């Protein structure tokens, strides 16, 4: 038995028989290997995204665009003016579908888009305002009444044509703003047709985003901070999303100016379909818009 | 073949992506990022982008890859090529896709593929969002990937 207690010392030399030293060292190395199983987690924060959610419980087609007392008003004239954005789009119709009214006919569903807007910074960092309680359904046909779809069409009774409650679809309580477009005949199977429909839809949403940006932070019903972190020493994992990039409804817009928007982004086709890296925050913040 | 309503990933899906949300919050993993890769029309181009993905994963020095493809049919040609390019470099990968009535191409590296078919019909149901990635699929795939990475000693 060896006992040693030192209160204050500058340089201490200890001598002991070899077998004791071996024993002491052995115990030490065992402890080290135990530590290696659960090393201290080093997290490095790369960037932060502040996410503020605002709720709406009604959507009304009105004379102006505004968000007031949890009601979203949309200017009915936007539909008429939207056709000036791209000559391929001939007609735009706005319609509100309430949660209990889903037994209605809809044209082929081209995309489901949440409404969110950048208040500070670019996609993936800064502050984003998100509208909870409603989503946008972009639907459409061409001038001859042909559904804009490539491989199977989702036109029909809304309640039968959507699997509600999936990651990519709204829940049962959400209000649907249906933006229906009519595009030039025959362009539905070309790249420019569906793209024009998405551009027009994005232009209308930009008006709502302008209003969403004005809402004060204290009115948010939910706030979260998303952090891009790297965890040193953990197995490195890469997520790969293989997305459509063949044109004519097989297209994605990468890193637009507004969350889930079109404007300012680059098409995955124009990027040559080669892999491009996005951070988790950039994906959460709507860095991928689906034209598919 | 291509991307139909049930396998199509909407803009809402990408923002809510359960794969990204679950992996980023898993404290036992270091998520380096999300690579988005397009699926071109031409077969030669499909192999071109697959090679780029292989080199990218190699350069990043990743220990494992979770890959999922929307749509089916010719999309599975690149899907298989991606997994092959990763496999050749000794990077374990778990794939998730709507297999339909079986994949059109397969190779030796495609041991772990999770079928996203929810309707059990093996064909396009034309119901939006039905056959996309859910939390359950993600948890399953992460479990398999962790096991594979452990076998490789990482």
């Amino acid at each position: 038995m060896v006992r040693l207690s030192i209160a204050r010392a500058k340089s201490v030399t200890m001598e002991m028989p070899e077998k004791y030293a071996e024993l002491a060292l052995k115990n030490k190395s065992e402890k080290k290997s135990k530590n290696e199983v659960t090393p201290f987690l080093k997290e490095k924060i790369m960037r932060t995204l502040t996410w503020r959610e605002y709720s709406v419980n009604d959507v009304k087609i009105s004379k102006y665009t505004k968000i007031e007392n949890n009601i979203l008003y949309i200017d009915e004239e936007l539909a008429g003016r939207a056709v000036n954005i791209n000559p391929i789009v001939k007609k735009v119709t706005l319609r509100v579908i309430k949660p209990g009214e889903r037994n209605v006919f809809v044209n082929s569903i081209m995309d489901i888009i949440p409404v969110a807007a950048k208040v500070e910074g670019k996609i993936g960092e800064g502050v984003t305002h998100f509208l909870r309680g409603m989503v946008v359904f972009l639907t459409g046909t061409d001038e001859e009444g042909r559904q804009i779809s490539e491989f199977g069409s989702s036109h029909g009774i809304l309640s039968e044509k959507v699997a509600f409650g999936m990651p990519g679809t709204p829940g049962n309580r959400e209000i649907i703003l249906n933006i229906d477009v009519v595009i030039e005949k025959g362009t539905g199977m070309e790249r420019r047709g569906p793209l024009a429909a998405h551009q027009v839809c994005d232009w209308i949403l930009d008006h709502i985003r302008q209003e969403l940006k004005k809402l004060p932070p204290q009115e948010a019903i939910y706030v979260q901070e998303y952090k891009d972190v790297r965890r040193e020493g953990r197995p490195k994992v890469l997520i790969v999303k293989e997305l459509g990039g063949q044109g004519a409804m097989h297209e994605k817009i990468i890193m637009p100016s507004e969350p889930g928007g079109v404007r300012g982004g680059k098409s995955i086709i124009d990027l040559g379909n080669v892999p491009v890296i996005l951070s988790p925050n950039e994906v959460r913040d709507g860095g991928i818009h689906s034209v598919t | 073949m291509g991307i139909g309503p049930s396998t199509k990933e909407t803009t809402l899906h990408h923002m809510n992506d359960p794969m990204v949300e679950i992996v980023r919050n898993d404290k036992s993993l270091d998520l380096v990022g999300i690579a988005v890769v397009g699926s071109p029309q031409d077969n030669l181009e499909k192999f071109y982008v697959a090679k780029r993905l292989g080199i990218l994963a190699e350069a990043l020095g990743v220990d494992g890859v979770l890959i999922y493809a929307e749509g089916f049919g010719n999309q599975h040609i690149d899907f298989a090529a991606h997994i092959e390019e990763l496999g050749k470099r000794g990077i374990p990968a778990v794939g998730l896709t709507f297999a339909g009535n079986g994949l059109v191409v397969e190779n030796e590296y495609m041991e772990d593929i999770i079928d996203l078919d929810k309707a059990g019909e093996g064909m396009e149901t034309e119901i939006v969002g039905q056959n996309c990635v859910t939390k359950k699929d993600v948890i399953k795939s992460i479990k398999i990937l962790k096991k594979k990475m452990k076998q490789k000693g990482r």
Side-chain angles (χ1 to χ4, degrees):
Chain A
M1 174 101 191
V2 181
R3 181 173 286 156
L4 184 74
S5 70
I6 300 162
R8 203 177 285 171
K10 240 180 185 176
S11 124
V12 180
T13 313
M14 264 180 76
E15 275 175 27
M16 63 174 87
E18 205 172 330
K19 59 176 182 180
Y20 289 127
E22 258 175 20
L23 212 70
L25 283 172
K26 206 178 168 190
N27 285 340
K28 225 180 189 178
S29 70
E30 260 176 19
K31 262 186 189 167
K32 245 187 189 171
S33 69
K34 258 184 198 167
N35 282 344
E36 265 168 16
V37 181
T38 49
F40 181 66
L41 185 59
K42 256 195 203 166
E43 283 196 347
K44 192 177 172 196
I45 296 164
M46 313 300 283
R47 62 193 77 73
T48 306
L49 167 68
T50 304
W51 185 267
R52 293 189 199 129
E53 291 190 354
Y54 296 85
S55 110
V56 283
N57 43 37
D58 203 359
V59 179
K60 286 178 177 162
I61 309 291
S62 177
K63 299 269 175 231
Y64 46 83
T65 304
K66 203 170 184 172
I67 302 167
E68 209 174 51
N69 298 326
N70 295 355
I71 300 169
L72 168 65
Y73 299 91
I74 301 160
D75 187 355
E76 58 184 353
E77 277 182 22
L78 286 179
R81 281 161 59 203
V83 295
N84 300 325
I85 300 304
N86 193 317
I88 296 172
V89 176
K90 302 299 177 193
K91 195 183 169 212
V92 179
T93 317
L94 300 176
R95 170 169 68 157
V96 177
I97 304 170
K98 299 273 172 65
E101 302 164 358
R102 286 181 179 170
N103 287 320
V104 291
F105 179 85
V106 286
N107 286 320
S108 182
I109 299 158
M110 298 160 72
D111 196 12
I112 301 173
I113 314 156
V115 182
K118 270 327 304 172
V119 180
E120 274 171 39
K122 296 250 159 67
I123 298 262
E125 55 193 334
V127 180
T128 293
H129 284 185
F130 181 90
L131 215 49
R132 179 67 72 190
M134 67 153 296
V135 285
V136 175
F137 273 51
L138 174 62
T139 60
T141 57
D142 75 357
E143 282 175 299
E144 289 172 328
R146 210 176 299 152
Q147 297 292 334
I148 309 176
S149 64
E150 192 261 346
F151 179 60
S153 171
S154 51
H155 69 279
I157 303 298
L158 178 66
S159 57
E160 294 167 5
K161 285 295 178 184
V162 178
F164 290 102
M166 294 290 280
T169 59
N172 288 325
R173 286 181 178 178
E174 267 150 291
I175 302 164
I176 294 165
L177 170 64
N178 180 201
I179 299 179
D180 189 72
V181 296
V182 177
I183 58 170
E184 197 180 306
K185 61 178 180 204
T187 56
M189 281 299 281
E190 287 175 41
R191 191 181 159 195
R192 60 197 179 112
L195 200 56
H198 282 263
Q199 276 170 350
V200 165
C201 175
D202 193 42
W203 181 83
I204 293 171
L205 295 190
D206 267 345
H207 288 79
I208 305 174
R209 290 185 186 119
Q210 286 307 322
E211 296 302 312
L212 183 57
K213 286 179 194 194
K214 290 179 193 163
L215 296 180
Q218 61 271 23
E219 278 182 25
I221 53 155
Y222 175 77
V223 182
Q224 191 178 344
E225 290 213 323
Y226 289 101
K227 290 184 169 77
D228 276 342
V229 290
R230 291 299 306 270
R231 301 188 179 100
E232 211 179 290
R234 296 292 195 232
K236 286 188 193 175
V237 172
L238 175 71
I239 293 176
V240 179
K241 280 168 171 276
E242 186 195 320
L243 309 167
Q246 306 180 352
M249 298 207 67
H250 287 59
E251 188 167 358
K252 302 280 164 180
I253 305 293
I254 307 299
M255 293 301 283
S257 302
E258 294 285 353
V262 176
R263 183 175 47 83
K266 275 201 188 299
S267 162
I268 198 154
I269 299 173
D270 298 335
L271 291 168
N273 285 320
V274 293
V276 174
I277 300 273
L278 266 66
S279 86
N281 268 1
E282 287 174 335
V283 174
R284 159 53 71 182
D285 208 13
I288 306 168
H289 179 96
S290 214
V291 185
T292 311
Chain B
M1 300 260 189
I3 301 164
S6 81
T7 58
K8 142 206 194 84
E9 290 168 353
T10 61
T11 301
L12 181 65
H13 180 95
H14 289 298
M15 287 175 78
N16 278 338
D17 198 327
M19 177 70 86
V20 177
E21 288 311 308
I22 293 174
V23 177
R24 76 188 295 180
N25 289 316
D26 190 330
K27 289 203 186 296
S28 68
L29 298 174
D30 177 20
L31 177 61
V32 300
I34 296 99
V36 291
V37 55
S39 173
Q41 180 76 48
D42 189 70
N43 267 4
L44 282 175
E45 274 188 53
K46 285 181 189 296
F47 296 122
Y48 179 94
V49 297
K51 181 76 187 282
R52 298 289 24 104
L53 182 76
I55 297 285
L56 180 77
E58 182 188 290
L60 289 170
V62 296
D63 300 313
V65 171
L66 292 160
I67 174 166
Y68 52 122
E70 65 169 354
F72 61 113
N74 79 63
Q75 269 82 359
H76 287 157
I77 299 172
D78 354 10
F79 184 64
H82 289 314
I83 295 173
E84 190 176 357
E85 290 291 341
L86 296 166
K88 275 198 283 191
R89 290 171 173 80
I91 303 168
V94 178
L96 301 94
T97 193
F98 177 80
N101 291 321
L103 302 177
V104 292
V105 277
E106 276 175 354
N107 59 54
E108 56 183 304
Y109 303 105
M110 296 169 81
E111 305 156 338
D112 298 298
I113 304 297
I114 295 171
D115 188 358
L116 301 178
D117 189 356
K118 305 283 186 297
E121 293 176 27
M123 55 182 213
E124 176 55 55
T125 55
E126 298 186 352
I127 295 173
V128 178
Q130 193 178 30
N131 294 324
C132 286
V133 172
T134 60
K135 276 184 185 169
K136 216 171 141 186
D137 302 317
V138 173
I139 292 165
K140 209 155 99 185
S141 66
I142 292 173
K143 212 172 156 187
I144 299 171
L145 185 70
K146 279 183 179 170
K147 205 172 143 195
K148 287 185 101 172
M149 289 196 297
K150 214 169 189 180
Q151 279 168 0
K152 292 245 174 193
R154 297 192 237 219

